[in-house]
Amino acid sequence: MESIYQTWPWYVSGPLISLVMFLLLFMGKQFGVSSNLKTMCAIGGAGKFADYFKIDWKAERWNLLFVFGGMIGGFIATHFLSADKVVINEKIAQELADDYHIESAGQAFLPTEIFSNSVLSDPYHIAILLVAGILIGFGTRYAGGCTSGHSISGLSNLQLPSLIATIGFFIGGLMMIHFLFPIIF
Amino acid sequence: MRSLAYVVIGIFFGIVMMKSEAASWFRIYEMFKFGSFHMYGIIGSAVVLGVMGIQIIKRKGIKAFGHVEMELQPKIKSVPRYLFGGIIFGLGWALAGACPGPIFVLIGAGFPSVLIVLAGALIGTFFYGLLRKYLPH
């Protein structure tokens, strides 16, 4: 029982994620979170500006319920299952401290230097979070899916487009960490 | 009843994202620095089991509850949209350290700053809707 409070190893977590995908498949739905962004825009009235958002959003209600559950799950894990600290490879943690003065690895779930509430008074940090979000929203809708829709659902269904998208995810991620981080942080 | 099922599956997903630490910025950074097998193991094992399960579903013609077809629609064939869209998302994924699923999970976990990432994601989605006809697909 004690191990439930530790970090769940990959060979437990990975199969549980595919279980989520199969549960949704048995419910007649396809696992993919980023389409909720489109649905939320549609609910907000974006259909007045672009046909892309003229959809019957009620058909996507199930996915909103799914992410609502995800939020409750995040709350439960933080408050009752001690998901509060992330310990990573020591060498990488040291590099983060040396190169970017991000020193909270091993002490927090997210780097306090980027996500703590005190950072919210700094316009530069707000801009970083906002731009990151814009890239995520624009990119996932352009690619027609994110990590769940392409890298899990799509690859599991052996879809070539999802492989191309996943390769793109990694090209973008590697570019950000290796070339842009030294400029941004 | 079905609505409740989606919420419950979502709760389970949220807990897995937190306890696997796939929702942690640190794990995403470590992954792109090739510092640990953890994230590769998570995605890899999920895909291997996913491929096996979907092959079984297809070969045995297993139906979803209510005897409807499983939702396994192939994506439209194209290269630029998946590659360019993928790269743009990858840039944001590494910067925020979160993909769309974890964004929602982290807000529930009590990180108000992630609401800014969500606001950005909705703005980005809106921009895509506006610019879509000018982009190569």
Side-chain angles (χ1 to χ4, degrees):
Chain A
M1 241 351 250
E2 194 51 40
S3 54
I4 202 166
Y5 297 105
Q6 310 289 326
T7 302
W8 294 2
W10 64 264
Y11 49 83
V12 173
S13 309
L16 291 180
I17 293 172
S18 64
L19 176 62
V20 169
M21 180 187 76
F22 283 116
L23 288 173
L24 289 176
L25 274 176
F26 277 107
M27 299 291 291
K29 308 294 179 193
Q30 194 163 20
F31 179 39
V33 177
S34 68
S35 37
N36 286 302
L37 299 171
K38 179 182 180 181
T39 309
M40 291 166 94
C41 281
I43 292 173
K48 287 199 270 293
F49 304 94
D51 290 344
Y52 178 66
F53 300 108
K54 283 185 183 151
I55 53 167
D56 173 23
W57 65 265
K58 290 196 178 69
E60 304 298 324
R61 211 177 65 101
W62 71 271
N63 213 341
L64 295 173
L65 290 166
F66 174 76
V67 290
F68 174 67
M71 292 170 74
I72 301 173
F75 180 87
I76 293 173
T78 304
H79 292 272
F80 306 110
L81 298 169
S82 65
D84 49 5
K85 288 186 210 65
V86 173
V87 178
I88 56 167
N89 178 333
E90 255 174 65
K91 206 171 125 270
I92 305 283
Q94 192 57 50
E95 279 175 21
L96 266 176
D98 294 344
D99 298 347
Y100 307 119
H101 304 291
I102 293 174
E103 292 166 355
S104 49
Q107 297 155 32
F109 192 85
L110 298 181
T112 51
E113 293 83 352
I114 304 176
F115 291 97
S116 77
N117 290 346
S118 62
V119 168
L120 294 179
S121 55
D122 175 7
Y124 184 68
H125 273 96
I126 293 179
I128 288 176
L129 296 175
L130 199 63
V131 169
I134 291 173
L135 292 167
I136 291 169
F138 191 93
T140 54
R141 291 335 298 153
Y142 192 2
C146 59
T147 337
S148 50
H150 276 309
S151 307
I152 306 288
S153 294
L155 289 184
S156 291
N157 197 24
L158 301 174
Q159 296 170 351
L160 185 62
S162 295
L163 182 62
I164 300 169
T166 302
I167 291 169
F169 299 167
F170 274 84
I171 294 173
L174 291 171
M175 275 168 38
M176 175 55 71
I177 301 263
H178 294 270
F179 303 126
L180 297 175
F181 260 42
I183 302 169
I184 296 171
F185 292 107
Chain B
M1 202 44 219
R2 279 183 91 87
S3 297
L4 186 65
Y6 295 125
V7 176
V8 171
I9 300 170
I11 292 173
F12 180 66
F13 171 71
I15 293 173
V16 173
M17 285 293 104
M18 293 299 289
K19 290 308 299 176
S20 67
E21 297 171 357
S24 170
W25 186 98
F26 290 116
R27 285 294 187 188
I28 306 301
Y29 183 83
E30 182 189 48
M31 169 179 78
F32 285 124
K33 282 277 187 176
F34 303 105
S36 166
F37 181 70
H38 187 72
M39 288 301 302
Y40 296 98
I42 291 176
I43 299 172
S45 60
V47 170
V48 168
L49 284 173
V51 168
M52 290 179 356
I54 287 181
Q55 286 304 314
I56 293 169
I57 286 170
K58 284 187 170 172
R59 286 184 193 182
K60 305 226 166 195
I62 297 170
K63 298 271 192 287
F65 295 130
H67 297 283
V68 291
E69 287 292 323
M70 290 258 181
E71 188 71 28
L72 288 167
Q73 308 230 344
K75 303 260 183 193
I76 299 142
K77 293 217 172 11
S78 154
V79 173
R81 94 168 272 196
Y82 300 114
L83 193 61
F84 300 153
I87 290 172
I88 295 168
F89 164 59
L91 291 166
W93 182 22
L95 185 55
C99 41
I103 288 176
F104 292 102
V105 175
L106 289 168
I107 290 169
F111 293 98
S113 49
V114 181
L115 282 167
I116 300 173
V117 183
L118 177 62
L122 292 171
I123 295 168
T125 302
F126 183 62
F127 282 166
Y128 171 72
L130 293 180
L131 300 174
R132 156 165 219 271
K133 46 183 179 284
Y134 309 108
L135 299 167
H137 278 81

